[in-house]
Amino acid sequence: IAAFIGGLFVFLCDQGALLRIETQLGQRKNVTDHIKVQFDDCIAHSGAVAGLDRGDNPVGVAISDLRRSVATPSEVIRRVKFTLDAARLMAIVADRQVCGLILGLPLNMDGSTGPRVQSTQAFARNLARLTDLPIAFWDERLSTVAAERALLEADASRKRRKEVIDAVAAGYILQGALDRMAWQGKSS
């Protein structure tokens, strides 16, 4: 289990860890004051990491390079049923040899939690039952706005933006986490 300073970055190294973190989230405003283990302690020292943006319907997926320096939007999984969605995600994870997952946590702008956070935590809890990979939550506030701006600057059509927005947002989420992990590695 871990969290990082300067944003919500909670790591799950086993299935029981998620429940302990959710209990602490419900009781404490700032989890980072109480849990200080690094994501790197839970995952292999090299290998790709996947970032996930769980939108209202689709799940955007981004994958890092093996050195964990660049996040690249990969694909959008159109949600149908959890078992089918998870099977597709696990296929991507196996194909790309992913060693950890970072899931965007949709906090409210004031930092509080709401129904979308609870839904995301339930998704992570169900996903943790299917894999031994560590799962991290990353504060995703404004990631979709940043992705939308980037796509507008790239002159993407409205149709194209709708198709890829969640994967691009997942890329922003993952890149933020990768940058933070790199910064922590240099400062320790």
Side-chain angles (χ1 to χ4, degrees):
I1 304 173
F4 94 31
I5 304 165
L8 191 57
F9 202 36
V10 180
F11 306 107
L12 313 173
C13 296
D14 61 53
Q15 294 176 9
L18 180 59
L19 299 174
R20 290 192 295 275
I21 288 171
E22 285 184 19
T23 300
Q24 290 187 347
L25 276 172
Q27 296 172 351
R28 298 188 175 108
K29 187 155 178 96
N30 187 357
V31 177
T32 59
D33 290 340
H34 305 282
I35 308 168
K36 303 243 171 139
V37 177
Q38 301 306 313
F39 188 49
D40 289 343
D41 294 339
C42 298
I43 63 174
H45 291 287
S46 64
V49 177
L52 307 175
D53 178 34
R54 188 176 174 273
D56 291 333
N57 181 6
V59 176
V61 181
I63 308 290
S64 76
D65 62 328
L66 297 177
R67 297 175 69 193
R68 298 184 190 146
S69 58
V70 178
T72 304
S74 177
E75 71 177 80
V76 175
I77 300 171
R78 299 284 170 209
R79 290 193 348 222
V80 179
K81 184 177 170 184
F82 177 78
T83 52
L84 298 174
D85 305 340
R88 177 64 193 133
L89 180 58
M90 291 299 109
I92 295 168
V93 164
D95 183 49
R96 300 292 294 272
Q97 299 176 339
V98 168
C99 60
L101 302 171
I102 295 177
L103 185 58
L105 192 64
L107 296 170
N108 295 325
M109 289 307 292
D110 65 359
S112 64
T113 62
R116 291 184 61 220
V117 168
Q118 293 171 355
S119 176
T120 300
Q121 290 171 332
F123 179 79
R125 191 171 37 252
N126 291 333
L127 201 56
R129 291 183 183 117
L130 302 177
T131 182
D132 291 331
L133 294 176
I135 299 172
F137 291 122
W138 180 263
D139 181 347
E140 71 165 38
R141 285 179 281 187
L142 300 177
S143 62
T144 302
V145 172
E148 181 80 22
R149 285 186 183 155
L151 290 168
L152 285 169
E153 288 175 13
D155 203 25
S157 69
R158 181 174 295 178
K159 180 182 177 189
R160 182 68 180 149
R161 287 194 312 264
K162 186 176 179 181
E163 292 170 354
V164 300
I165 188 73
D166 293 293
V168 175
Y172 271 89
I173 292 165
L174 180 56
Q175 190 62 56
L178 294 174
D179 292 347
R180 180 60 181 191
M181 288 190 299
W183 180 83
Q184 283 183 318
K186 290 177 183 173
S187 66
S188 47

